[in-house]
């Protein structure tokens, strides 16, 4: 070979084999990692993966090239066996058998258990408060329909003007019937008063301080020093109220009874004709005003002298006050709506997500969940519960009992546990909406 041929040979690069598409060493490392995890959980199957691993080890010892095809097939088989665990999870350090992951899992299980108990406490408190508020709302509506003041006035006028006991007959029987109905109504009002007061005293959270209880204690503590003029008391009774919503106290409590002075013998004193004796200041008023005050006094003394002994009440007015309960109906309705539409679906959705995360953390078949994805899962569970509550409320608009309300709450729990199913449904709805929108746009074009 002459010199020119040698130069041409050196200038021409030597031909080399193209690089392999598959990295056999990397595939072998992945197969070792997946097979080790599969062996620890007992899902290796018929042992083909082990035979492939033995062939791989022998080929590496003899410096021979292993078969990429057999490694790939074995890796695919083992990957299917270890699902839902993936090679990416094992490579990123999410192997649940690693000591650091096991220590972290035990701490997370303790925190999740405490969080689940707190969530159950919130659910129990909200469900009990919802039951009390629904019963109290119904009691307030019944109290408004009773109108005890008007019935006692009608009963007093019947006894005073018609004098049924002196004329036995149908009128006397009707009077006794009306009197028995009023006593029965009083007994019913005591139960309704208790229910309405309990609904008014509920709180949104278990740890929330109820300032109404502290205010009632203060009223009971200092009520003995309160002085109320008799005329103001009579006017409040005639109007069917004893105060505004800002100074409301339970009707059956001693504080409410002590807040207004009891009638005295001098107050209900009568003259020779049986008329109420008015005070000196009231006798100076015009004649029509004295008649109004006397009529109010007649109603008040009739309750104290006739109706109160029959019911055993401490004071006559304790069964006749309406105390502005109507102003509390919108408040109770807003609380019920807040609990049934927002709070309870949220807590049930969170509880379902917490149960899912607890099972995920305790399972050796799933990747070790990180802290932030865990929080995101729980928060999404609460949001999904609220969304399901919207659909359930629209589908079942008339839910009267707490048992019927449990249906959307159960759906919220299931959705929080299986939130992926909700997202799948929403994705399908989104694709359908996009398809309809595209078809509509094409039709217009």
């Amino acid at each position: 070979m002459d010199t020119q041929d040698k130069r041409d040979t050196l200038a021409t690069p030597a031909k080399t084999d193209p690089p392999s598409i598959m990295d056999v060493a990397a595939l072998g490392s992945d197969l070792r990692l997946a097979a080790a995890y599969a062996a620890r959980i007992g899902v290796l199957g018929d042992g083909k993966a082990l035979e492939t691993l033995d062939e791989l080890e022998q080929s590496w010892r003899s410096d021979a090239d292993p078969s990429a095809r057999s490694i790939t097939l074995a890796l695919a088989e083992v990957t299917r066996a270890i699902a839902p665990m993936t090679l990416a999870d094992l490579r990123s350090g999410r192997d649940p058998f690693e000591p650091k992951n096991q220590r972290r899992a035990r701490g997370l299980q303790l925190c999740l258990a405490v969080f689940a108990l707190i969530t159950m406490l919130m659910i129990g408190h909200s469900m009990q408060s919802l039951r009390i508020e629904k019963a109290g709302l119904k009691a307030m509506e019944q109290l408004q329909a009773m109108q005890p003041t008007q019935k006692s006035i009608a009963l007093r006028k019947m006894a005073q003007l018609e004098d049924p006991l002196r004329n036995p007959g149908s009128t006397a029987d009707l009077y006794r019937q009306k009197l028995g109905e009023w006593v029965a109504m009083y007994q019913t009002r005591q139960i309704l008063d208790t229910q309405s007061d309990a609904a008014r005293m509920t709180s949104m959270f278990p740890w929330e301080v109820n300032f109404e209880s502290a205010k009632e204690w203060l009223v009971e503590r200092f009520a003995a020093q309160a002085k109320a003029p008799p005329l103001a008391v009579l006017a409040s009774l005639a109007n069917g109220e004893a105060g505004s919503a800002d100074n409301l106290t339970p009707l059956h409590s001693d504080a409410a009874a002590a807040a207004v002075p009891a009638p005295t013998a001098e107050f209900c004193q009568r003259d020779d004709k049986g008329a109420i004796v008015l005070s000196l200041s009231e006798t100076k008023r015009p004649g029509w005003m004295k008649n109004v005050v006397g009529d109010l006094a007649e109603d008040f003394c009739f309750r104290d002298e006739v109706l109160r002994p029959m019911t055993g009440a401490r004071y006559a007015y304790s069964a006749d006050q309406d105390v502005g309960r109507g102003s509390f109906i919108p408040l109770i309705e807003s609380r019920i709506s807040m609990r049934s539409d927002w709070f309870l679906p949220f807590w049930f959705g969170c509880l379902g997500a917490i149960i899912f995360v607890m099972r995920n953390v305790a399972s050796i078949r799933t990747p070790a969940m990180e802290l932030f994805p865990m929080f995101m899962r729980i928060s999404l569970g609460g949001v999904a519960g609220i969304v399901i509550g919207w659909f359930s409320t629209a589908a079942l608009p008339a839910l009267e009992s707490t048992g019927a309300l449990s249906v959307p709450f159960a759906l919220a729990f299931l959705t929080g546990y299986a939130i992926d199913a909700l997202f799948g449904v929403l994705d399908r709805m989104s694709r359908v909406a996009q398809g309809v929108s595209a078809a509509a746009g094409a039709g217009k074009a």
Side-chain angles (χ1 to χ4, degrees):
M1 182 180 296
D2 55 9
T3 305
Q4 185 62 33
D5 294 337
K6 290 181 179 180
R7 289 176 181 174
D8 295 339
T9 304
L10 292 175
T12 304
K15 293 183 179 181
T16 58
D17 295 333
S20 176
I21 297 176
M22 295 184 179
D23 189 348
V24 178
L27 291 176
S29 178
D30 290 341
L31 182 58
R32 285 196 188 96
L33 188 63
Y37 175 77
R40 298 181 75 174
I41 63 175
V43 293
L44 270 179
D46 55 0
K48 291 182 179 179
L50 292 177
E51 295 177 359
T52 305
L53 282 174
D54 292 338
E55 295 175 0
L56 181 62
E57 294 290 342
Q58 293 175 5
S59 63
W60 279 341
R61 290 193 186 98
S62 60
D63 294 333
D65 294 333
S67 172
R69 181 177 181 277
S70 60
I71 294 177
T72 304
L73 293 176
L75 183 59
E77 180 183 353
V78 175
T79 303
R80 286 193 298 268
I82 65 175
M85 183 70 71
T86 63
L87 283 173
D89 295 324
L90 296 175
R91 284 295 183 188
S92 61
R94 301 177 65 187
D95 187 352
F97 287 107
E98 291 185 5
K100 65 174 184 178
N101 289 335
Q102 291 183 354
R103 290 193 298 270
R104 188 165 59 89
R106 287 193 291 268
L108 289 175
Q109 288 175 13
L110 177 60
C111 295
L112 289 172
V114 174
F115 193 18
L117 292 177
I118 294 175
T119 305
M120 289 295 296
L121 174 64
M122 295 298 301
I123 291 175
H125 175 268
S126 297
M127 290 292 287
Q128 179 68 8
S129 299
L130 181 63
R131 184 189 65 80
I132 294 174
E133 287 166 356
K134 288 178 71 67
L137 181 62
K138 187 176 181 180
M140 289 181 184
E141 294 173 352
Q142 293 178 357
L143 286 171
Q144 284 188 332
M146 281 185 174
Q147 299 179 346
T149 303
Q150 288 79 357
K151 292 182 179 179
S152 64
I153 292 174
L155 191 62
R156 190 265 304 175
K157 290 183 177 180
M158 183 179 181
Q160 183 179 10
L161 301 178
E162 299 181 11
D163 198 5
L165 299 183
R166 281 191 178 182
N167 303 308
S170 59
T171 305
D173 295 338
L174 181 61
Y175 173 74
R176 291 189 178 90
Q177 178 184 352
K178 295 294 183 182
L179 201 61
E181 292 176 356
W182 197 94
V183 174
M185 180 193 66
Y186 174 85
Q187 297 172 350
T188 304
R189 280 183 62 89
Q190 301 306 301
I191 301 174
L192 297 179
D193 286 338
T194 304
Q195 293 176 349
S196 61
D197 292 336
R200 182 175 56 85
M201 300 298 290
T202 56
S203 57
M204 297 303 294
F205 301 100
W207 58 82
E208 184 180 356
V209 178
N210 199 321
F211 294 100
E212 292 291 339
S213 299
K215 186 167 66 174
E216 286 183 8
W217 181 84
L218 292 174
V219 170
E220 186 175 358
R221 174 69 175 79
F222 298 104
Q225 304 175 5
K227 301 296 182 180
L231 188 58
V233 175
L234 295 175
S236 65
L237 291 174
N239 294 329
E241 55 186 20
S244 63
D246 297 330
N247 58 6
L248 180 64
T249 55
L251 295 183
H252 57 275
S253 65
D254 294 337
V260 183
T264 60
E266 291 78 8
F267 183 79
C268 292
Q269 188 176 4
R270 300 177 182 274
D271 57 13
D272 297 338
K273 298 181 179 180
I276 294 290
V277 178
L278 302 179
S279 63
L280 180 62
S281 60
E282 293 167 352
T283 55
K284 297 179 180 180
R285 301 178 185 274
W288 66 269
M289 191 175 294
K290 289 191 291 184
N291 293 334
V292 172
V293 174
D295 192 64
L296 293 175
E298 289 286 358
D299 292 331
F300 189 71
C301 295
F302 178 74
R303 296 190 190 102
D304 179 68
E305 296 175 353
V306 178
L307 299 181
R308 181 181 62 82
M310 299 181 64
T311 58
R314 183 176 179 182
Y315 298 124
Y317 52 78
S318 62
D320 284 335
Q321 293 174 345
D322 195 6
V323 213
R325 279 187 177 81
S327 61
F328 281 98
I329 290 180
L331 174 63
I332 301 300
E333 289 178 343
S334 65
R335 285 183 180 177
I336 292 175
S337 178
M338 182 67 70
R339 293 187 197 278
S340 58
D341 295 343
W342 294 92
F343 277 14
L344 281 170
F346 174 80
W347 288 119
F348 273 101
C350 284
L351 182 62
I354 291 171
I355 300 301
F356 175 86
V357 172
M358 290 177 68
R359 290 195 60 194
N360 183 278
V361 171
S363 175
I364 61 175
R365 294 297 306 274
T366 56
M369 185 174 287
E370 299 295 334
L371 190 61
F372 287 105
M374 191 180 304
F375 287 157
M376 184 178 67
R377 175 85 188 203
I378 294 175
S379 61
L380 286 177
V383 173
I386 294 176
V387 173
I388 289 297
W390 293 342
F391 287 108
S392 301
T393 304
L396 303 173
L399 295 177
E400 296 296 335
S401 64
T402 307
L405 283 172
S406 300
V407 175
F409 298 156
L411 292 177
F413 174 82
L414 294 176
T415 305
Y417 184 84
I419 192 173
D420 298 331
L422 175 64
F423 288 156
V425 172
L426 294 178
D427 291 339
R428 286 194 293 270
M429 292 174 62
S430 177
R431 287 193 294 268
V432 170
Q434 291 176 0
V436 172
S437 178
K444 291 181 180 180

